[in-house]
Amino acid sequence: QLQLQESGPGLVKPSETLSLTCTVSGGSISSSSYFWGWIRQPPGKGLEWIGIINYSGSTYYNPSLKSRVTVSVDTSRNQFSLKLSSVTAADTAVYYCMRHIPHIDYFDYWGQGTLVTVSS
Amino acid sequence: EIVLTQSPATLSLSPGERATLSCRASQSLSGYLAWYQQKPGQAPRLLIFDTSNRATGIPARFSGSGSGTDFTLTISSLEPEDFAVYYCQQRSNWPPALTFGGGTKVEIK
């Protein structure tokens, strides 16, 4: 059974960089069949797609966040990561990592989510 | 950017009743719409993709329909575990963007 688990600081100061890692178990991130990525959800609000990456490093980002987002992959550790720079309170959210199915472009496996609060 | 509008915001129903949820797009999606279920404190779960295809393990009481800009998720007979928030998601203008609707909460009446 594929499992995804987010990890990283739960508190980030304004203007700093948010960094999260997703560890994949029960399957290989090196499969060419999938992309891996991030979605966030501000408290009490809806879902926002952030970006995705595949095993070879090809990426797609939400145009509204593109200037601040970097998603990277470490196949040796079966992990992928998110960096979001210059954060503000508006970036406070639960961040989910997920598996993206290409060609149908939906998300079938998700991590449990991790709350990141931006505050001084 | 394609905007997805879900209605109603909240649907109050009793177990056993039929639930009909709507998702309207600002432009045609060519059928490229999915539905997710999210329970409190949990990640979303894929229910339906490309308008009407049930994801693996999803019960037959969940069905999707629609075309163009208007789509519907129907739960034929609500089970206690179906009370949750439901989101639609489009991939019509992908890349670059994948977007979600604002959600419909199905609550117990």
Side-chain angles (χ1 to χ4, degrees):
Chain A
Q1 175 77 352
L2 190 72
Q3 292 187 324
L4 290 76
Q5 178 68 57
E6 305 89 352
S7 59
L11 181 64
V12 180
K13 289 182 168 56
S15 79
E16 295 189 344
T17 296
L18 178 159
S19 296
L20 295 174
T21 295
C22 183
T23 301
V24 178
S25 59
S28 174
I29 202 170
S30 298
S31 168
S32 61
S33 300
Y34 302 105
F35 276 70
W36 307 86
W38 298 91
I39 287 170
R40 70 180 182 178
Q41 184 172 35
K45 296 188 178 181
L47 300 161
E48 181 178 33
W49 175 79
I50 299 172
I52 55 172
I53 192 168
N54 71 355
Y55 75 100
S56 66
S58 296
T59 55
Y60 294 90
Y61 297 135
N62 187 325
S64 68
L65 298 170
K66 188 174 183 178
S67 63
R68 299 194 292 132
V69 171
T70 302
V71 179
S72 58
V73 64
D74 185 342
T75 55
S76 66
R77 297 187 176 189
N78 225 33
Q79 295 176 334
F80 59 99
S81 298
L82 168 70
K83 290 189 185 300
L84 181 65
S85 64
S86 305
V87 296
T88 69
D91 295 309
T92 294
V94 174
Y95 285 77
Y96 295 99
C97 61
M98 50 71 183
R99 188 175 80 170
H100 169 113
I101 310 172
H103 309 304
I104 63 170
D105 300 311
Y106 302 122
F107 321 112
D108 62 343
Y109 283 91
W110 299 62
Q112 66 185 22
T114 187
L115 175 63
V116 179
T117 301
V118 178
S119 175
S120 56
Chain B
E1 178 186 332
I2 296 178
V3 177
L4 299 178
T5 302
Q6 292 188 241
S7 62
T10 304
L11 197 53
S12 299
L13 295 168
S14 301
E17 289 192 295
R18 182 183 188 90
T20 303
L21 288 66
S22 173
C23 179
R24 177 164 290 177
S26 57
Q27 57 187 274
S28 177
L29 299 183
S30 302
Y32 297 139
L33 186 96
W35 291 92
Y36 297 81
Q37 176 194 67
Q38 186 178 34
K39 297 179 182 179
Q42 296 186 17
R45 175 176 70 146
L46 179 64
L47 298 176
I48 302 284
F49 64 92
D50 284 350
T51 298
S52 59
N53 297 284
R54 276 190 301 275
T56 303
I58 301 304
R61 64 181 182 273
F62 291 93
S63 64
S65 62
S67 64
T69 60
D70 292 312
F71 297 85
T72 300
L73 174 69
T74 301
I75 311 171
S76 59
S77 178
L78 283 164
E79 297 287 340
E81 62 268 26
D82 299 336
F83 291 92
V85 180
Y86 292 83
Y87 293 95
C88 56
Q89 176 239 322
Q90 69 84 22
R91 69 174 183 107
S92 179
N93 65 338
W94 165 259
L98 297 167
T99 54
F100 292 88
T104 290
K105 181 180 182 180
V106 179
E107 65 176 22
I108 299 176
K109 187 174 182 180

